[in-house]
Amino acid sequence: MKYFLTGSLITIIILIVLFGYRQNIFSPTALPYDDEQEGLKDQITIHFSHVVAENTPKGIAAEKFAQLVEEKSDGRLVVQVYPNSMLYSDDNELKALLDNEVQMIAPTISKMTDMLPNWQVLDLPFLIENNEQLKEVLNGNVSQSLLKELDTVHIKGLTFWSNGFKQIASTTPIVEVGQFEGKKIRMMPSNILRKQFTLLEAEPVATSFGNVYRDLQNHVVDAQENTISNIYSKQFHTMENHITLSNHGILAYAVLMNEQFWNGLDEEYQQIILDSLEEMQDWQFEQAQKFNEQNLQDLQSDPNVIIYELDETNKNQWKEQLQPIYKHYENTINDHYLDDLLDEMNRSIPSFH
């Protein structure tokens, strides 16, 4: 037994020596320098959380942004995208940003209105009539002023992304203004949106985007306003199969970054982020329009979905019912942003009326 143990110990020592020799453990010279590993230590990661599917205007925009940033920084700056509420829902992503749990989010403008009430000007119905106007507005002076307001809450506002126009999806038809009465309509948390549906005599229900499908199954809500791409990608049309093409409001996203993280970046990295967003801005608007157009065709080809066009007579009735909302914004929220927005549209888009 003693000879067996001694032999085993000698064998183990020989194996250790051989392994060390092959790995240069006993070599007096330094190990080879691995520049790739050194590069990884210098790499900065931006965690970007959002709540929609990857195959949506915001989803592909986030991926495009990540690609451009990595290319422009030669891999030194990496954007890791987490779609579909993988990390946070739209109820808690803003807190996660403020706590630097994630460095970027892109919530809807409506989600920011509790913190910044003036932003509700972009929730007002029937202000913007087409994609050209939408693009001008989201890149215009009023929108830049709104982004600047984020400084007061210690968030870096970078830009706005578009998801086009909101439509009405419902379990029963909503075309005539009277058909809103008593409907439980899911809304994003915005006092203007609550006022909008109250004026239409519906019952607004504020709920998280991630809960909408379950709320429809449980009959908590009967209808919602949303873009065609969101309705299609989340399969809401399988329960809300009556869709009215109303174009009554816009859905835009504010691209935000944690202020402390932003301030800690080198100017070179800050410029790469800004350049990437600027380079893709026109592309993002075009993709949003294409997505909504393609998904509308998909819905029109579904025999279980009924699409309604909002004709001028019914549109005018909706507008008449909603008329008090503009004075409500001016009197209780902000007395100049609406005028500034209308003036901006009149100056930049002569066809606006």
Side-chain angles (χ1 to χ4, degrees):
M1 183 69 178
K2 184 170 69 173
Y3 294 114
F4 172 77
L5 291 173
T6 303
S8 298
L9 184 59
I10 292 170
T11 302
I12 291 171
I13 292 171
I14 291 171
L15 289 172
I16 291 172
V17 171
L18 286 172
F19 178 79
Y21 176 78
R22 287 180 176 274
Q23 298 298 320
N24 286 323
I25 290 174
F26 307 116
S27 172
T29 59
L31 290 172
Y33 177 72
D34 187 341
D35 58 348
E36 288 188 7
Q37 291 298 319
E38 187 65 27
L40 285 175
K41 286 197 299 183
D42 295 336
Q43 195 177 72
I44 296 174
T45 301
I46 299 171
H47 299 284
F48 187 166
S49 175
H50 69 81
V51 303
V52 300
E54 293 170 286
N55 60 328
T56 58
K58 179 161 62 173
I60 64 166
E63 293 295 341
K64 177 76 168 178
F65 171 69
Q67 174 191 337
L68 288 173
V69 166
E70 188 162 356
E71 288 175 358
K72 290 178 183 296
S73 68
D74 294 323
R76 292 170 295 152
L77 196 56
V78 174
V79 180
Q80 181 65 54
V81 180
Y82 304 90
N84 253 329
S85 301
M86 285 174 59
L87 292 183
Y88 298 98
S89 71
D90 55 354
D91 282 339
N92 56 23
E93 64 177 359
L94 182 57
K95 184 179 185 304
L97 181 78
L98 290 169
D99 292 342
N100 203 28
E101 296 294 331
V102 292
Q103 288 69 55
M104 285 186 72
I105 61 173
T108 63
I109 51 177
S110 306
K111 284 288 180 180
M112 301 301 298
T113 58
D114 277 349
M115 186 178 283
L116 300 169
N118 290 338
W119 281 41
Q120 291 175 97
V121 69
L122 296 178
D123 274 336
L124 288 167
F126 292 115
L127 282 185
I128 300 169
E129 298 180 351
N130 54 53
N131 283 293
E132 290 73 25
Q133 292 179 359
L134 176 56
K135 185 176 178 181
E136 289 286 344
V137 166
L138 293 185
N139 289 313
N141 292 331
V142 171
S143 289
Q144 291 305 308
S145 297
L146 295 175
L147 286 174
K148 190 66 179 169
E149 287 190 5
L150 288 159
D151 293 347
T152 64
V153 292
H154 307 295
I155 294 173
K156 176 62 180 178
L158 296 169
T159 191
F160 286 111
W161 286 344
S162 170
N163 192 358
F165 289 88
K166 293 184 288 189
Q167 323 300 340
I168 296 292
S170 178
T171 55
T172 58
I174 300 180
V175 180
E176 299 175 5
V177 72
Q179 292 173 320
F180 279 102
E181 186 175 356
K183 285 285 193 302
K184 293 176 291 186
I185 300 187
R186 184 263 172 173
M187 54 160 275
M188 293 175 285
S190 161
N191 289 333
I192 282 295
L193 295 181
R194 183 175 296 280
K195 183 71 172 177
Q196 168 186 280
F197 288 121
T198 301
L199 287 170
L200 293 169
E201 299 185 355
E203 181 183 334
V205 179
T207 184
S208 168
F209 182 69
N211 293 337
V212 174
Y213 196 90
R214 185 188 65 195
D215 289 343
L216 284 165
Q217 288 178 318
N218 295 331
H219 308 291
V220 176
V221 295
D222 308 310
Q224 66 174 303
E225 59 171 7
N226 221 321
T227 61
I228 290 295
S229 65
N230 280 349
I231 292 168
Y232 182 76
S233 67
K234 287 294 186 180
Q235 299 292 291
F236 294 140
H237 62 283
T238 60
M239 287 176 286
E240 296 170 313
N241 64 329
H242 296 270
I243 298 174
T244 302
L245 303 180
S246 54
N247 284 2
H248 64 279
I250 66 166
L251 187 61
Y253 305 113
V255 183
L256 311 178
M257 183 169 280
N258 176 277
E259 183 183 67
Q260 185 178 0
F261 179 84
W262 170 263
N263 291 338
L265 291 173
D266 293 343
E267 286 187 17
E268 177 194 3
Y269 286 160
Q270 291 180 350
Q271 197 59 51
I272 284 172
I273 290 168
L274 295 175
D275 289 347
S276 298
L277 289 168
E278 184 177 358
E279 180 177 326
M280 63 178 284
Q281 193 75 343
D282 288 345
W283 175 90
Q284 194 282 316
F285 276 87
E286 291 165 4
Q287 292 302 309
Q289 189 172 348
K290 287 179 181 177
F291 258 91
N292 284 297
E293 289 172 354
Q294 179 58 55
N295 290 160
L296 178 57
Q297 292 178 23
D298 296 331
L299 291 173
Q300 288 171 330
S301 66
D302 187 332
N304 297 314
V305 175
I306 304 170
I307 306 288
Y308 305 91
E309 295 276 354
L310 190 65
D311 59 36
E312 284 303 312
T313 299
N314 282 304
K315 182 186 285 188
N316 288 333
Q317 289 176 355
W318 288 30
K319 287 181 175 181
E320 184 178 352
Q321 194 88 352
L322 291 167
Q323 198 59 39
I325 203 168
Y326 308 107
K327 281 296 179 187
H328 172 78
Y329 177 83
E330 289 182 314
N331 293 339
T332 66
I333 301 171
N334 186 283
D335 61 0
H336 70 84
Y337 264 132
L338 177 56
D339 285 340
D340 292 347
L341 183 62
L342 293 175
D343 287 344
E344 184 175 285
M345 292 175 69
N346 279 319
R347 286 195 305 273
S348 60
I349 312 167
S351 63
F352 178 76
H353 57 85

